[in-house]
Amino acid sequence: METEDDAENAKAIEESSTSHRPRLRNDWMDLDLNVLAEEARNEIQFQDHPEKQTENGQLGHNMANDGFLNLDVLAEDALHDIALQDHTRFSGRFPEKQTEKDLTMRYTSEEKGKAKIDDDQVLIETNDGKTIIVLDSDDGEDEIKNEDTDNLNLNLGLGQNVDFMELDLVNDGVRENTEPAEVEPPDGLAWWRAWQKELRLKAARRLALPKKPKKQIDGKPREKILPPTKVDDETSDSPFSMAMEAIEKRNSVRKPQFKWVPNNNKGSSNIKRGSIPSLLELSLNALAENSEAIVSLKFIPDALRHKLSQRVCDSRKMDAQFFELLTRESPTEIRVKNCSQITEEELTRIFLNCDTQNLTVLQLDFCGQCVPDHVLENFIARSQGSLPSLLTISLRGALRLTDAGLPSIGVSAPALQSINLSQCSFLTFRSINLVKFYFESSLRELYIDDCMNIDAMRILPSLKKLKHLQVLSVAGIETVSDDFVIGIVEAIGRNLRELVFANCVALTDISVKFIGENCSKLYSLDLSYLDKLTDSAVKYLANGCCSIGRLNFCRNGFSDEAIAAFLEVSGRSLHELSLNNVRMVGINTAISIVKYSKNLWTLDLSWCRKLSDEALGSIVDSCESLRLLKLFGCSQITNAFLEGHSNSLVQIVGLQTTPALAHLDSTQIQQTPLRYPPLPDHQILDQPDS
């Protein structure tokens, strides 16, 4: 009975141990399982470690002795290794003690494809059984070259041969392709990693932004190096360096202070006197308020016409009726700074009846609605020579104007010397090429502010040929760079009188250095909103541009000492100075203005909160020519300054107790068609084209 029971128990154990195992296919049932098991043991990957072989051999012997070694499982592993010989799936280890749960197939993390992939390297398996490693470059812009994409054959785990293309490492085209290092294949997932890597590279090349090429001048790249914030004087005996040394020495001895005493006897009367309008201003304001009742402007001088037109535009009453009054009786100047309320049909009708033979100035600003290309071609510049006397034209804000409309201006106005095309967003570099073609020998002023579709480097060759150019304004064009400025000032800098680079944020001290070295006749310079400028820029201007009269440093990070030194060197010729939002302006700048800038007409010290009542009082009392002082944002100023200064002609705006917009009525209107008189012929530089 015991023998029968033992036999039944052994049979039950054998059935339970084999019931959950995967069944082999019938094709393999005739194989000798003992031979396959022996082959599976031999394929264990510990050839380099004899102690592991001994351990595994002893482990197999012990399991066989226990009667628990299942040859079917080993046979199936061996068959799988034969079928997928290119991708070894065996993990190379046996459990110390097998249980019924261990008899099921167990896979490692690498075999399941869940292993962590290192982003810095990719393993590629080739058809010769080798594996190459491709490392990513530091900047993430590595590029893989496919020498023979037709030989690509992805192995999907079905036993096909894998022929991967050879991959070379390319590092931005600087170094030659390097040979990849050969390593042993760690598992059978190398093909999958390579495939995924290739897909990511293709997507990156499709979506990545193109790398901007280095900007060049004359075929050679110009390296941009930002000067240090601290001023390093090239020569210790330069005027600017001597002024800086004097200021530093003065500050080291004692802190400078102002001894200003308010003039209480004249303070209140000054404010009342300055607030009383003149009889002319009262008359112009009355006419502007009743502009619809005016029937004629005959015998009215152009200067008064301009002021009246400005007031009508400010009150938003510039309509077709008043515009027609400005165009009657063969006018010499038509100045309208806001044409937004005039329609295209009305403008067409007015210019059909206008005699333009004597017209020298045509200003149609903010005419985006009424001046498209066809109106300009057919009615304003309607025929060849129809504007024979025209010297200045301003089409600022003509949003519908394109490059196609400019040839009509060149044909009808051969004597044109000033063109304002600011805020014409449809214009491209071709428009400047047309301007050069028609007005190369006569153009003296060019304004292209905020023309965002104009590439500065593409118009540089055309601008270099405008030898008579005196005014260039490119404010707000983002493509204006140091290379552009250097190219302009080296070619025509000796003739330039005014440069406007406001909000050209790419400019650095290098541009100002070349301006100071090449623009000796420069009178007006606008460097506002350039946060990359340092005190070195102020040094270059002081040592180079000695006769500058209008300067705008709005919202720059210059130090108080640097601005004070500049004013000591070049402050005597200044007439207009803007230090709006230059936060470091303080006592040193105020002292220099009092001593060396007494010829100022307009001064903007808005948001300079380090200036006291005493400093401002000394400035206003010492600058007897000062007519306009802007103090927006200066909340530290009290009535002690407003009621205590002695300059009865100055107009202070921006404070709470002063009218904020009163200075707009006193804005000086340009009396002549051009800003600057023409240079004599012998002073025009005839430099070779660069």
Side-chain angles (χ1 to χ4, degrees):
M1 295 295 293
E2 295 179 358
T3 304
E4 294 178 359
D5 294 337
D6 294 338
E8 292 177 0
N9 292 335
K11 184 178 181 180
I13 291 174
E14 182 179 0
E15 291 176 357
S16 63
S17 64
T18 59
S19 60
H20 65 283
R21 295 196 300 267
R23 297 182 179 273
L24 298 176
R25 294 182 300 178
N26 295 333
D27 298 341
W28 305 99
M29 295 303 294
D30 297 334
L31 296 177
D32 189 350
L33 300 181
N34 294 327
V35 176
L36 296 176
E38 185 67 18
E39 293 179 356
R41 294 191 189 97
N42 295 333
E43 289 183 0
I44 301 175
Q45 299 178 1
F46 293 120
Q47 293 84 350
D48 297 335
H49 304 281
E51 64 276 15
K52 294 294 183 179
Q53 296 179 3
T54 304
E55 180 182 351
N56 291 335
Q58 184 65 27
L59 176 61
H61 178 70
N62 294 338
M63 294 175 64
N65 293 338
D66 295 339
F68 201 71
L69 179 61
N70 195 318
L71 298 180
D72 292 341
V73 176
L74 296 178
E76 184 177 1
D77 290 342
L79 293 176
H80 195 284
D81 293 338
I82 294 173
L84 300 176
Q85 52 186 344
D86 290 339
H87 305 290
T88 304
R89 297 175 60 253
F90 192 70
S91 61
R93 57 185 175 84
F94 281 107
E96 295 182 358
K97 185 177 180 180
Q98 285 186 329
T99 61
E100 293 183 3
K101 183 178 180 180
D102 293 330
L103 292 176
T104 59
M105 280 194 175
R106 302 294 298 275
Y107 296 93
T108 64
S109 298
E110 291 81 1
E111 293 169 342
K112 294 178 182 179
K114 297 182 179 180
K116 182 179 180 180
I117 298 178
D118 191 358
D119 293 335
D120 295 335
Q121 62 183 11
V122 178
L123 298 176
I124 307 298
E125 186 176 359
T126 59
N127 56 355
D128 55 358
K130 298 181 180 180
T131 300
I132 61 175
I133 183 170
V134 179
L135 300 177
D136 291 345
S137 58
D138 295 337
D139 55 1
E141 297 179 357
D142 51 336
E143 181 179 346
I144 291 181
K145 293 184 178 180
N146 301 336
E147 295 183 356
D148 189 4
T149 57
D150 297 335
N151 295 331
L152 181 62
N153 182 17
L154 296 179
N155 191 333
L156 303 179
L158 300 178
Q160 300 95 325
N161 293 328
V162 180
D163 294 329
F164 274 90
M165 64 198 110
E166 183 179 359
L167 304 179
D168 294 332
L169 175 64
V170 178
N171 186 8
D172 288 341
V174 178
R175 295 180 299 178
E176 297 295 334
N177 295 337
T178 58
E179 293 294 334
E182 296 185 359
V183 297
E184 293 296 329
D187 50 50
L189 295 176
W191 67 270
W192 175 262
R193 297 178 182 178
W195 185 36
Q196 292 294 326
K197 179 66 175 180
E198 183 186 3
L199 293 179
R200 290 195 296 268
L201 288 174
K202 289 182 179 179
R205 285 194 291 267
R206 186 177 68 255
L207 299 177
L209 294 176
K211 182 182 291 186
K212 295 182 179 180
K214 294 182 180 179
K215 297 178 180 179
Q216 299 182 356
I217 289 184
D218 300 333
K220 298 181 180 179
R222 189 183 300 275
E223 184 179 0
K224 298 180 182 179
I225 302 177
L226 288 178
T229 302
K230 184 178 179 180
V231 177
D232 296 329
D233 293 319
E234 299 172 354
T235 56
S236 59
D237 57 347
S238 64
F240 182 86
S241 61
M242 296 175 62
M244 284 289 292
E245 291 177 1
I247 293 173
E248 292 176 356
K249 183 177 180 180
R250 181 182 63 194
N251 293 338
S252 62
V253 175
R254 59 183 178 84
K255 185 178 180 179
Q257 294 180 353
F258 275 105
K259 296 181 179 179
W260 176 74
V261 179
N263 190 352
N264 295 325
N265 296 331
K266 299 182 180 179
S268 58
S269 61
N270 288 340
I271 296 179
K272 293 180 180 179
R273 190 182 311 160
S275 60
I276 299 176
S278 63
L279 180 60
L280 178 61
E281 292 177 352
L282 291 175
S283 301
L284 291 176
N285 292 334
L287 290 174
E289 292 177 0
N290 301 278
S291 59
E292 65 278 358
I294 300 177
V295 295
S296 177
L297 294 177
K298 189 176 181 180
F299 304 120
I300 302 296
D302 289 336
L304 293 180
R305 285 193 178 197
H306 302 162
K307 293 183 178 181
L308 180 59
S309 174
Q310 180 175 348
R311 283 169 167 77
V312 172
C313 291
D314 291 340
S315 60
R316 301 288 295 174
K317 290 187 176 183
M318 178 59 68
D319 53 7
Q321 177 184 355
F322 190 85
F323 184 80
E324 187 176 1
L325 296 177
L326 298 175
T327 61
R328 288 181 181 177
E329 300 171 356
S330 185
T332 56
E333 297 185 3
I334 300 176
R335 297 179 183 264
V336 180
K337 73 172 188 177
N338 191 347
C339 302
S340 58
Q341 293 182 331
I342 302 175
T343 64
E344 179 181 332
E345 293 76 11
E346 292 172 344
L347 187 70
T348 301
R349 175 179 54 81
I350 292 172
F351 270 95
L352 281 177
N353 300 323
C354 178
D355 183 7
T356 59
Q357 293 297 316
N358 298 325
L359 190 63
T360 59
V361 177
L362 177 60
Q363 179 183 358
L364 300 176
D365 291 347
F366 297 105
C367 54
Q369 180 181 358
C370 57
V371 184
D373 291 341
H374 66 90
V375 172
L376 185 63
E377 295 172 356
N378 299 328
F379 302 101
I380 299 178
R382 50 183 175 267
S383 62
Q384 183 175 0
S386 59
L387 299 170
S389 304
L390 190 65
L391 299 178
T392 301
I393 185 171
S394 177
L395 299 176
R396 178 186 177 191
L399 302 179
R400 300 171 64 185
L401 182 65
T402 66
D403 299 338
L406 293 182
S408 60
I409 300 178
V411 172
S412 60
L416 197 64
Q417 299 183 24
S418 176
I419 301 177
N420 190 343
L421 300 175
S422 301
Q423 301 178 13
C424 297
S425 55
F426 285 161
L427 297 182
T428 66
F429 72 97
R430 298 180 181 86
S431 61
I432 308 303
N433 294 340
L434 292 172
V435 169
K436 186 268 301 183
F437 176 77
Y438 287 105
F439 309 110
E440 179 178 353
S441 60
S442 62
L443 191 66
R444 291 163 50 191
E445 299 178 3
L446 179 61
Y447 307 86
I448 51 175
D449 302 342
D450 300 312
C451 293
M452 306 308 297
N453 283 332
I454 293 181
D455 189 345
M457 296 307 296
R458 301 188 73 174
I459 66 175
L460 181 59
S462 297
L463 294 179
K464 288 182 178 180
K465 297 181 180 180
L466 302 176
K467 300 302 181 181
H468 296 263
L469 193 66
Q470 294 179 319
V471 179
L472 177 62
S473 180
V474 291
I477 299 181
E478 296 180 354
T479 55
V480 173
S481 61
D482 291 337
D483 295 337
F484 174 82
V485 177
I486 294 170
I488 286 293
V489 299
E490 287 183 342
I492 57 175
R494 294 282 300 277
N495 296 331
L496 289 175
R497 302 296 305 277
E498 181 174 345
L499 286 173
V500 180
F501 295 122
N503 210 19
C504 298
V505 295
L507 297 184
T508 65
D509 295 342
I510 299 177
S511 297
V512 185
K513 180 180 180 180
F514 278 82
I515 291 174
E517 293 175 352
N518 296 276
C519 302
S520 58
K521 299 178 182 178
L522 193 66
Y523 176 80
S524 178
L525 179 62
D526 190 345
L527 299 177
S528 56
Y529 298 94
L530 303 182
D531 54 359
K532 292 184 179 180
L533 298 185
T534 66
D535 289 349
S536 297
V538 183
K539 175 192 67 174
Y540 298 140
L541 284 180
N543 294 334
C545 302
C546 300
S547 60
I548 193 166
R550 186 185 300 115
L551 187 61
N552 191 343
F553 280 161
C554 177
R555 207 177 181 84
N556 284 318
F558 303 138
S559 66
D560 184 30
E561 294 78 9
I563 296 178
F566 173 83
L567 294 175
E568 289 190 14
V569 175
S570 304
R572 293 176 177 83
S573 60
L574 279 177
H575 295 137
E576 298 181 18
L577 176 63
S578 176
L579 300 176
N580 189 326
N581 223 322
V582 182
R583 301 300 179 93
M584 300 302 294
V585 167
I587 186 67
N588 294 302
T589 300
I591 293 176
S592 297
I593 292 176
V594 170
K595 291 183 177 180
Y596 305 102
S597 301
K598 296 183 179 182
N599 296 323
L600 282 174
W601 303 335
T602 302
L603 179 61
D604 188 356
L605 296 175
S606 301
W607 302 99
C608 297
R609 294 183 173 178
K610 293 185 178 182
L611 297 176
S612 61
D613 289 336
E614 291 77 11
L616 290 176
S618 300
I619 291 174
V620 172
D621 289 347
S622 61
C623 299
E624 298 180 356
S625 301
L626 191 64
R627 295 296 178 265
L628 179 62
L629 176 62
K630 299 180 182 180
L631 296 176
F632 291 94
C634 295
S635 56
Q636 78 278 9
I637 304 302
T638 64
N639 289 332
F641 160 69
L642 293 176
E643 299 177 0
H645 68 83
S646 59
N647 191 337
S648 59
L649 300 178
V650 68
Q651 184 177 7
I652 301 174
V653 298
L655 298 179
Q656 295 181 354
T657 58
T658 59
L661 300 179
H663 66 288
L664 296 179
D665 294 337
S666 61
T667 301
Q668 295 182 0
I669 298 178
Q670 185 174 332
Q671 301 294 332
T672 58
L674 300 174
R675 283 182 175 268
Y676 305 98
L679 294 174
D681 293 338
H682 66 276
Q683 295 185 9
I684 301 297
L685 293 182
D686 190 12
Q687 299 178 355
D689 296 339
S690 56

